[in-house]
Amino acid sequence: MTTVTLASKRRRAALRTLAFMSPWLIGFAVFFAYPLISTVYFSFMHYDGFNPPTWSGAKNWTYVFENYPLFWPALRNTLWLVVIMVALRVLFGLGIGLLITKIKTGTGVFRTLFYLPYLAPPVAATMAFAFLLNPGTGPVNSLLEKAGIPAPGWFNDPTWSKPALTLLALWGIGDLMVIFMAALLDVPTEQYEAAELDGASPWQRFRYVTLPNISPIVMFAVVTGVIQTMQYYTQPLIAGKVASGVIQGAGTMFEPGYPDKSTLTLPQLVYNLGFQRFDYGSACVVALVLFVLSMAFTSLLMRRRGGLMQAGD
Amino acid sequence: MPEVPRKAALVLAASVSVALFATACTGQPGSGANDDASKDTTINFWHAWSAPNEVKGVQALVDGFEKAHPNIHVNVVGNMTDDKMNQALRTGGDKAPDVISSFTTNNVGKFCSSGALVDLNPLFKKAGIDAGRTFPKAMNEYTQFDGKRCTAPLLGDAYGLYYNKTAFEKAGIKQAPRTWSEFEADAKALTIPDGDGFKQLGVMPTYHGWETTTEHLFAQFSPRYFDADGKSNVAKDPAFEKAYTFQKKLVDELGGFQKLEKYRATLGDEWGPKHPFHTGQVAMQLDGEWRLGMAEEAKPGFEIGVAPLPVPDGQESQYGKGYITGTITGIAATSRKQNAAWEFVKYISTDTDAVVGFANAIHNVPSTLAALKSPKLKYDPRFKTFLDIAADTNSTTTPASINGGQYLVTVQQLGYDYESGKQKDLKAGLEKAAHQIDTDIAQAE
């Protein structure tokens, strides 16, 4: 009798727990588990979106890795952006945050000025940058030429297109700046006072007081930055299109990545393969590569966080 | 708080995902042509036109149809991109289109092979219409694939040469070039360098020079993209090598790729009033028939000349030909009103007065042989050049392929690599492109 009561109590508790968890569980199943399983399933199928899928084995995987000329350039570009762009965004965001927290007057004005670009829609911002960085008519190159500095080709030059995209990303640094400012203002002032009494230099105060205190936020900025950059789609596509001068007209075919595949990213391939070439199988392979890379980067960062996070974080 | 029962959570998550997963393979919604076209019905028509005069033209075309078929009402949705249409064709439903029209003739192969659009051949046969005698040769070709005619032409585009007559006179050139060697000489004579750029450029020869794509330019060399077995002919047909070589030579002679690309970045965009042909920065331009109206509207300040594009030396007898493309229309396989949809497609693509009226409204080339000869056709005398190109039996188009225009993208990519100097060995590049085209087609099959 006691056992039965105990068992039924446990069952009720379990059901209650599941009931409370069900919104998340359903969300997880619908928006993560099912799409993931489907993506794996379709990556082994020949599927054009119109006819029923047919089994094709590893054909899509072989095609993407061995015969799809855009895959490796897109992967290289995506990794370049993940490493360089994310690092620079975190450094720049932290730098601006430090600068503004140190300013005594006009903090509100600077905060607004740095945050405003973040609110610009990505398409408009990219088009504005394509105009500003136009190698022939853009004001940036005019100024550089007047100063006697060799002007780059920016979005029209394969060597400079990714740095130009990085500049665009740094321009919209407002989100990170706000997060870092909040973290910096949270650092206990008594720790700085103690460090000063011990004769710590400004660099030592930053290294041994500021950084350990804000390390969880740095971690957050890096992880979310990596995930966002893995999904980088709009800006490189628009920049490439505008700079190439090719606007899809009657009968013209457009392949993303101008100039010379340098602005290709993996999400562009997913769209190109799935929705433009009706090759959903190969699109799923690229999507899975993205998923695995995101998981690998995130896991690596979370494992390494020991060096960045304080004990107890 | 008791520990979360892992097994229960896993079972719940798994069962939900399996249930959802099972719905992934339900196939397409039912479709068919069982509707009665004589009964009162409404069909959805999606098109890609967006300019005010074009939208007005489409509405006039629809009004004409509704007058002739009072029981069939047409719900028109404009400014639709191919990507949106593809998704709607896949999903179907009440809001999805029964009839679509697209600017991308290159997609015909994809539409036919996937079954996204219905085969119109039986319907043409039933209506007693011989498509081969109704449409110009090139248009008849690009609206079908692999024995299926899943689209019909809905007006066309013909490509020719626009030239600045005033600049020609100043340079002492008497007439439009008829061969590529004449064209090359004229382009050099018309080019006036100015420091890092140009005061005037004879022609913008790079493949990013708006409509100067490989598919448009190469048409003058009459290449055969595929052999009889459906394999890529790019490495075997000497026309490709000639075309790539000619363009590369022109790029090098007019200042080199870097200089031209830098100059191109300073020029206005293709669809705006500051197009470099309008502004006099470029003296010759390969373009479609729509450029004439756009250029005149921009008040260029010089006389515009129009001619067919040159032909290779030794092929002067074929002068007058050009590249043909256009808008296509078709019936969605998911439509439940295919008979009513066919009445609409038949009217807009084969009714002479309807085609002529629409061509007059949006200044495109009519897409039936009867409409091309119609006395009701109104046009600027120079527009006749494009009508003649469209009617020329030597005019060509690019063949439909199972994966749409992917092979053209590969040909174009080789063009980019070769003109920039990245691909130095053209023969090796052609071999690689041919292999890529065959691989892509095998992947799509």
Side-chain angles (χ1 to χ4, degrees):
Chain A
M1 184 67 192
T2 318
T3 320
V4 172
T5 315
L6 201 64
S8 67
K9 265 189 178 178
R10 276 188 182 159
R11 205 169 31 249
R12 268 206 302 274
L15 282 171
R16 201 167 41 241
T17 310
L18 276 177
F20 278 111
M21 282 177 69
S22 62
W24 180 86
L25 276 176
I26 291 165
F28 174 83
V30 172
F31 297 112
F32 183 78
Y34 162 67
L36 182 62
I37 296 164
S38 289
T39 307
V40 174
Y41 166 80
F42 283 116
S43 75
F44 293 100
M45 307 299 274
H46 176 78
Y47 183 48
D48 61 11
F50 294 94
N51 299 296
T54 52
W55 175 256
S56 65
K59 192 182 168 195
N60 297 326
W61 291 84
T62 311
Y63 176 72
V64 167
F65 289 118
E66 290 178 12
N67 298 314
Y68 184 38
L70 303 186
F71 176 73
W72 294 107
L75 182 65
R76 276 194 297 272
N77 294 335
T78 305
L79 294 177
W80 189 101
L81 292 165
V82 162
V83 174
I84 309 287
M85 193 194 275
V86 173
L88 286 175
R89 263 179 64 85
V90 170
L91 286 172
F92 193 64
L94 180 55
I96 298 292
L98 276 167
L99 204 69
I100 290 177
T101 49
K102 294 279 181 284
I103 290 171
K104 295 282 182 274
T105 50
T107 312
V109 174
F110 283 109
R111 216 184 283 186
T112 309
L113 280 176
F114 279 108
Y115 188 73
L116 271 179
Y118 177 68
L119 300 175
V123 173
T126 311
M127 288 182 81
F129 256 67
F131 163 78
L132 290 168
L133 300 177
N134 183 300
T137 55
V140 173
N141 276 15
S142 300
L143 288 169
L144 289 173
E145 277 163 10
K146 274 178 188 157
I149 301 164
W154 301 115
F155 290 123
N156 289 74
D157 182 342
T159 314
W160 282 94
S161 56
K162 283 189 286 293
L165 286 169
T166 307
L167 277 181
L168 172 61
L170 294 180
W171 179 72
I173 201 72
D175 55 336
L176 279 187
M177 178 202 73
V178 168
I179 292 165
F180 279 125
M181 273 179 60
L184 289 163
L185 293 169
D186 253 1
V187 179
T189 48
E190 55 270 27
Q191 289 186 17
Y192 285 121
E193 288 162 6
E196 256 180 285
L197 285 172
D198 288 341
S201 65
W203 165 247
Q204 285 171 320
R205 286 203 296 274
F206 173 77
R207 171 73 186 81
Y208 296 107
V209 177
T210 311
L211 209 51
N213 273 293
I214 65 163
S215 59
I217 304 302
V218 173
M219 191 69 208
F220 169 82
V222 172
V223 171
T224 53
V226 165
I227 292 166
Q228 276 172 6
T229 310
M230 286 280 182
Q231 298 168 7
Y232 203 49
Y233 174 85
T234 308
Q235 292 89 335
L237 185 81
I238 300 292
K241 262 196 171 190
V242 172
S244 75
V246 173
I247 298 167
Q248 226 164 333
T252 56
M253 296 297 294
F254 175 78
E255 185 151 287
Y258 178 86
D260 194 20
K261 305 188 188 93
S262 64
T263 56
L264 265 182
T265 56
L266 290 174
Q268 289 180 68
L269 299 194
V270 176
Y271 187 83
N272 176 257
L273 284 166
F275 300 114
Q276 292 178 318
R277 287 177 60 173
F278 296 176
D279 186 354
Y280 287 86
S282 299
C284 286
V285 171
V286 179
L288 286 169
V289 169
L290 257 178
F291 172 72
V292 168
L293 277 176
S294 303
M295 287 295 284
F297 267 106
T298 311
S299 305
L300 188 75
L301 288 165
M302 297 309 274
R303 278 174 193 277
R304 293 271 166 203
R305 79 182 190 278
L308 201 59
M309 308 272 276
Q310 288 174 300
D313 276 328
Chain B
M1 180 83 185
E3 195 186 323
V4 178
R6 281 191 188 184
K7 278 185 184 171
L10 194 70
V11 166
L12 183 68
S15 57
V16 172
S17 61
V18 166
L20 287 163
F21 183 60
T23 64
C25 310
T26 52
Q28 289 190 75
S31 61
N34 305 320
D35 61 306
D36 186 347
S38 63
K39 292 240 167 75
D40 202 66
T41 186
T42 302
I43 57 169
N44 295 327
F45 171 48
W46 285 18
H47 66 81
W49 285 287
S50 57
N53 71 309
E54 292 172 336
V55 172
K56 213 170 129 188
V58 173
Q59 196 52 55
L61 180 71
V62 169
D63 291 346
F65 170 75
E66 287 181 333
K67 201 174 165 189
H69 299 77
N71 62 305
I72 305 174
H73 312 285
V74 183
N75 177 30
V76 183
V77 183
N79 197 16
M80 275 292 173
T81 63
D82 279 354
D83 292 359
K84 286 179 195 166
M85 281 188 207
N86 290 344
Q87 295 318 304
L89 287 172
R90 206 166 58 81
T91 52
D94 290 343
K95 295 266 190 277
D98 298 289
V99 177
I100 62 118
S101 88
S102 160
F103 293 154
T104 318
T105 53
N106 295 328
N107 280 343
V108 169
K110 260 191 316 195
F111 286 141
C112 289
S113 60
S114 64
L117 300 177
V118 301
D119 184 4
L120 301 177
N121 271 332
L123 299 164
F124 269 102
K125 202 174 171 184
K126 199 174 161 188
I129 300 168
D130 181 350
R133 288 167 183 263
T134 304
F135 306 120
K137 183 172 155 281
M139 294 183 188
N140 187 40
E141 279 170 19
Y142 70 59
T143 46
Q144 49 187 326
F145 173 69
D146 209 15
K148 278 187 190 171
R149 172 185 300 283
C150 55
T151 60
L154 177 60
L155 302 192
D157 296 311
Y159 288 77
L161 177 73
Y162 289 86
Y163 61 100
N164 180 331
K165 275 191 169 178
T166 312
F168 265 52
E169 276 167 31
K170 274 186 191 166
I173 305 166
K174 300 245 178 326
Q175 60 168 24
R178 296 170 68 89
T179 64
W180 285 122
S181 58
E182 284 175 23
F183 180 85
E184 192 184 335
D186 291 350
K188 283 194 279 186
L190 290 159
T191 298
I192 308 164
D194 180 22
D196 272 354
F198 301 91
K199 195 176 170 195
Q200 179 182 278
L201 183 62
V203 69
M204 175 54 77
T206 63
Y207 294 121
H208 277 112
W210 310 285
E211 295 296 329
T212 316
T213 61
T214 46
E215 73 189 274
H216 300 162
L217 185 68
F218 288 14
Q220 299 309 105
F221 293 82
S222 301
R224 282 185 61 238
Y225 283 90
F226 296 100
D227 64 17
D229 301 325
K231 296 284 178 203
S232 174
N233 216 23
V234 166
K236 288 177 273 185
D237 186 345
F240 288 99
E241 196 179 344
K242 280 180 193 158
Y244 280 117
T245 307
F246 163 74
Q247 185 268 356
K248 172 68 173 159
K249 191 170 170 235
L250 202 55
V251 166
D252 293 343
E253 284 173 342
L254 295 181
F257 178 74
Q258 297 298 345
K259 186 178 176 178
L260 287 166
E261 272 296 273
K262 192 180 175 190
Y263 181 63
R264 191 182 62 78
T266 69
L267 303 171
D269 85 76
E270 182 176 5
W271 306 107
K274 296 286 181 198
H275 185 294
F277 180 71
H278 305 175
T279 58
Q281 290 162 292
V282 168
M284 292 191 286
Q285 181 67 43
L286 182 165
D287 222 322
E289 78 289 335
W290 62 81
R291 176 63 48 201
L292 185 59
M294 288 175 87
E296 289 295 8
E297 212 171 285
K299 298 185 174 55
F302 58 83
E303 198 185 342
I304 296 170
V306 175
L309 276 166
V311 290
D313 295 53
Q315 291 181 26
E316 287 84 344
S317 61
Q318 290 196 9
Y319 181 72
K321 69 179 178 181
Y323 178 75
I324 310 290
T325 182
T327 310
I328 48 171
T329 184
I331 300 170
T334 50
S335 169
R336 292 174 182 275
K337 299 166 181 175
Q338 288 177 12
N339 287 324
W342 163 244
E343 290 302 325
F344 182 64
V345 167
K346 185 172 68 174
Y347 175 84
I348 62 174
S349 65
T350 65
D351 184 287
T352 304
D353 284 350
V355 173
V356 169
F358 193 30
N360 286 339
I362 70 165
H363 311 298
N364 268 205
V365 174
S367 44
T368 66
L369 293 165
L372 280 165
K373 293 177 197 144
S374 169
K376 292 179 185 171
L377 201 58
K378 297 188 211 111
Y379 50 83
D380 177 304
R382 288 168 296 180
F383 193 77
K384 177 130 187 4
T385 303
F386 295 100
L387 299 179
D388 293 342
I389 292 168
D392 194 301
T393 50
N394 290 312
S395 287
T396 57
T397 188
T398 39
S401 158
I402 190 167
N403 59 354
Q406 192 51 43
Y407 72 95
L408 293 167
V409 171
T410 305
V411 167
Q412 182 74 76
Q413 190 58 54
L414 173 59
Y416 294 151
D417 291 347
Y418 188 58
E419 70 176 356
S420 68
K422 190 181 169 189
Q423 177 72 44
K424 295 207 166 23
D425 184 346
L426 180 58
K427 277 202 177 352
L430 287 165
E431 292 286 349
K432 196 177 162 197
H435 174 72
Q436 186 62 52
I437 290 165
D438 291 340
T439 307
D440 287 341
I441 286 171
Q443 171 64 18
E445 279 169 344

